[in-house]
Amino acid sequence: MTTIGVTGHIRLRPATHRLILRELVQLLSGYPRVHGVTCLAEGSDQIFARAVQACRGTFEVVLPVPAAASPPAAPPSHLLRQARRVTRLEVAGPPEAAYEAASREVVERSDILVAVWDGDPAGGRGGTAETVEWAKALGRRVVRVWPEGAERLTVPV
């Protein structure tokens, strides 16, 4: 069984969800048995979980639980119930510390990391670019997925 983790963008245009799902299913279908590892965040992580299910794979969840602030929005309960295992990772300090720890845990549990990413190096602690660098530092294979026509939502500053 191949264990594949995911990192990726959260805010995606609705039409991008379909493009990414299609590309992820195509990618994951190339493995006889897939087990996914995800933080199950909004956007890429939840699309990845659906792609794993479409390929009749299993997945586990690493939930970041920030100790210093209100937690992120809870993932859909139906996806949590379908996970083989759920690990709640509580980390002291700013919320970014929990996101970083959870992302690193995803990488450490994975043979391959899928990055649903437009390649923009900007981002915060525990973000996609940093997670990709961590995976490379550990010698993990990284597969970038960003289909033609995919777009992120812009957030007004």
Side-chain angles (χ1 to χ4, degrees):
M1 180 177 327
T2 304
T3 302
I4 303 176
V6 68
T7 186
H9 296 304
I10 295 170
R11 294 173 196 87
L12 301 167
R13 292 201 175 279
T16 296
H17 287 238
R18 290 186 300 279
L19 295 171
I20 290 170
L21 179 63
R22 184 177 22 214
E23 193 160 319
L24 286 173
V25 167
Q26 182 178 6
L27 172 70
L28 298 177
S29 294
Y31 298 92
R33 291 177 47 211
V34 173
H35 179 71
V37 185
T38 173
C39 291
L40 212 53
E42 200 177 311
S44 300
D45 284 33
Q46 292 178 20
I47 297 167
F48 174 80
R50 292 191 352 247
V52 168
Q53 290 176 318
C55 294
R56 298 185 180 178
T58 58
F59 66 93
E60 64 186 84
V61 177
V62 178
L63 283 179
V65 182
S70 58
S77 60
H78 71 281
L79 287 174
L80 277 176
R81 283 193 305 272
Q82 294 168 1
R84 277 259 170 104
R85 176 170 91 174
V86 176
T87 304
R88 287 174 170 74
L89 199 58
E90 185 169 338
V91 176
E96 295 81 16
Y99 305 146
E100 178 182 50
S103 293
R104 286 182 174 216
E105 186 68 24
V106 166
V107 170
E108 290 169 8
R109 292 184 187 187
S110 302
D111 302 314
I112 299 168
L113 181 71
V114 171
V116 181
W117 180 38
D118 63 4
D120 185 354
R125 183 174 173 190
T128 304
E130 184 179 271
T131 304
V132 166
E133 288 308 312
W134 176 252
K136 288 178 179 179
L138 293 181
R140 299 298 193 274
R141 179 174 165 228
V142 176
V143 178
R144 184 171 162 252
V145 170
W146 194 252
E148 178 82 26
E151 293 181 273
R152 295 168 64 183
L153 287 174
T154 54
V155 180
V157 179

